[in-house]
Every structure is written in C-alpha cells, then in structure tokens.
Amino acid sequence: MADIKVIPLKELFRESFSYMCENCRNIALFSVVHMLFLIAGFEMIDGWHDVFFLPWLVGYYLFWCFFFRFYFKRKPYLATVKLFYTLVPSTKMLALTFLVVTALLMLPLIPPFFGIGSEWANEYTLYLKRYMEDTRVVDGITVVIMTLTAPLVFYRPMMAWISSLIGRSASMKSAFAKTRGNYWKMAFLLATFELLFAGLTWAGQQLGIGNWLSIAVGSPLVIYLNVIFAKTYDYFFLEIDG
C-alpha cells in the first residue's frame, strides 16, 4: 500500500499566505469582485429566496472557475469546454452534501419510533420539540454537522472538481484515495475558518452593521481559503499532474 501523505498544515497556511502576498494585486481584485458578488447576492437580492439567485449562482460558479484556472495558469480562463466537465464532480458534491447532512439532521427524529406510546418517547419528543423551536440551537447543530462532514463531502471531492477544471481526471475515487488519512487535519482547517467567519458575523451584529463586516473582511479570507484548496491540490496531485 502506498504511503499516506499527511497535509503539513503550517506549511500550507504559510505558502498560501506567501502566494497572496506575491500576487497581492490580483488577490485584491479577486477580493473586490467577491465582495461585489456578496453585495449583489445578499444585500441587493434576498439570497436563495429571490428569483434572481439562480443566475447569481451561475455567475458565482464561473467566478471560482476563473479563479482556479487563473491560479493554475490554464488559459483561456473561461472560454473553454472544460467548464462543462466540472459539472459532474460539482453535482456529486452537492448531492453528497445534501444526503449526508439531511441524514444526520434526521437521526435525532428516529429514537421515538422505537418506543411509540412509552413515557420516555413522549418526554424525548417534548425535549426535541423545545430545542428544535430554538433557531440558534438548530443553526448551531447544523453548522457543527456540516463542519464535521465537510472533509468528506466537500474538501476531498473538491480535489476532483479542481482536477476536472484544469483538464485532468474528475475521478472521486482517485481524489479520496490520494487524500486519505487527513480527515482531522481537514476538519481542523475548515473549523478554523468557520470560527473566523462566525466571529465576523457576530462582530458585525454587535457593531450594528449587519453583514458588511463579513462581506468586507470575509472576502479576502474566502480567497485565502480557496488558495489553500489550490495548494492542497498541488500537494497531493502535483507529481501526477505535472
């Protein structure tokens, strides 16, 4: 069995930050464009509740296609049929995320069915109802579940998406095989950024400026996170992709 490659987190953070500094002009431009996307998607229109969210989503998807093709120096950055090949791994990611998160969120609803009519089942149902009515608790549990499952349903499959985007294999099997043994490091990395984004949201609410702090400061952080994803691909697939 081939040796398992373990992500060197410190080097990954450092190299990604160095890339940001060395390409500060382009990174600043990407950050500004990302801010404009967030303003359009969540301040000018009402997110996924709005009929214009679908075309916004298409534009946002193309933005990230451009970003990664730019990072890997694959011209043309958008005018290429390779973008259509990315729909397979991206659709798999969405489907996998939906199935796993839905299944985990549904698990707490199952126990009462094993004791219908019993006292403990009734007490459990009342307890569950009380906490499900608390939006903050539900949102918190959802975030925790998504963070813990993200290495499996997002981070590792994203390597297949990046690969397809730059004209390489879109095999999920290959992406999982090459990145095995890194679950906790990936979870730690994603949890770190999740806490940073949550902190920005909280600070914005405390300052009374809504989402504007998250949009302004969070956009460069999102770009940084995606540079880390690109560096991760470099680390695991550089020797086979060249």
Side-chain angles (χ1 to χ4, degrees):
M1 183 180 291
D3 293 337
I4 295 176
K5 294 184 69 173
V6 179
I7 297 176
L9 282 181
K10 289 183 180 179
E11 288 78 2
L12 195 63
F13 278 110
R14 185 177 63 250
E15 290 176 8
S16 298
F17 185 74
S18 295
Y19 176 87
M20 299 269 286
C21 294
E22 292 166 4
N23 299 271
C24 56
R25 280 180 145 184
N26 293 324
I27 293 300
L29 182 58
F30 277 120
S31 298
V32 170
V33 173
H34 190 269
M35 289 180 204
L36 294 176
F37 263 109
L38 294 187
I39 292 171
F42 299 96
E43 297 297 328
M44 297 177 67
I45 65 176
D46 189 22
W48 64 274
H49 297 96
D50 198 293
V51 67
F52 293 106
F53 186 67
L54 183 57
W56 177 90
L57 196 61
V58 172
Y60 192 63
Y61 183 82
L62 292 176
F63 167 78
W64 287 115
C65 289
F66 185 98
F67 174 83
F68 283 103
R69 285 188 65 82
F70 177 86
Y71 173 90
F72 288 102
K73 298 180 175 60
R74 296 300 202 271
K75 293 182 178 181
Y77 299 131
L78 278 182
T80 171
V81 295
K82 290 183 175 62
L83 296 186
F84 293 101
Y85 302 146
T86 67
L87 296 177
V88 174
S90 60
T91 301
K92 287 181 179 179
M93 274 195 292
L94 287 174
L96 189 59
T97 300
F98 176 79
L99 289 173
V100 172
V101 173
T102 300
L104 291 174
L105 288 174
M106 292 295 290
L107 281 178
L109 304 178
I110 296 176
F113 289 100
F114 292 99
I116 296 177
S118 65
E119 184 177 348
W120 73 264
N122 292 331
E123 290 180 356
Y124 179 87
T125 302
L126 291 174
Y127 178 84
L128 192 63
K129 182 179 179 182
R130 186 185 312 128
Y131 282 93
M132 287 188 71
E133 290 174 349
D134 189 330
T135 305
R136 290 176 300 178
V137 172
V138 174
D139 289 346
I141 292 173
T142 302
V143 169
V144 170
I145 289 175
M146 292 188 70
T147 301
L148 291 176
T149 57
L152 299 174
V153 302
F154 177 72
Y155 202 150
R156 296 169 73 184
M158 192 171 186
M159 298 300 103
W161 181 79
I162 293 175
S163 190
S164 69
L165 185 60
I166 61 177
R168 302 295 179 175
S169 171
S171 170
M172 286 282 190
K173 182 178 179 180
S174 175
F176 272 78
K178 294 290 290 184
T179 57
R180 68 190 186 281
N182 287 276
Y183 171 83
W184 288 111
K185 285 184 176 289
M186 289 180 173
F188 174 80
L189 189 153
L190 293 171
T192 299
F193 277 89
E194 183 60 44
L195 288 173
L196 289 172
F197 295 138
L200 289 173
T201 300
W202 177 84
Q205 293 173 348
Q206 297 302 307
L207 294 171
I209 57 175
N211 295 322
W212 291 103
L213 184 64
S214 297
I215 290 172
V217 181
S219 288
L221 275 177
V222 171
I223 301 300
Y224 181 41
L225 176 59
N226 280 272
V227 172
I228 290 175
F229 291 152
K231 290 291 183 184
T232 302
Y233 183 88
D234 276 340
Y235 179 71
F236 284 108
F237 296 90
L238 184 62
E239 76 279 9
I240 60 173
D241 282 350

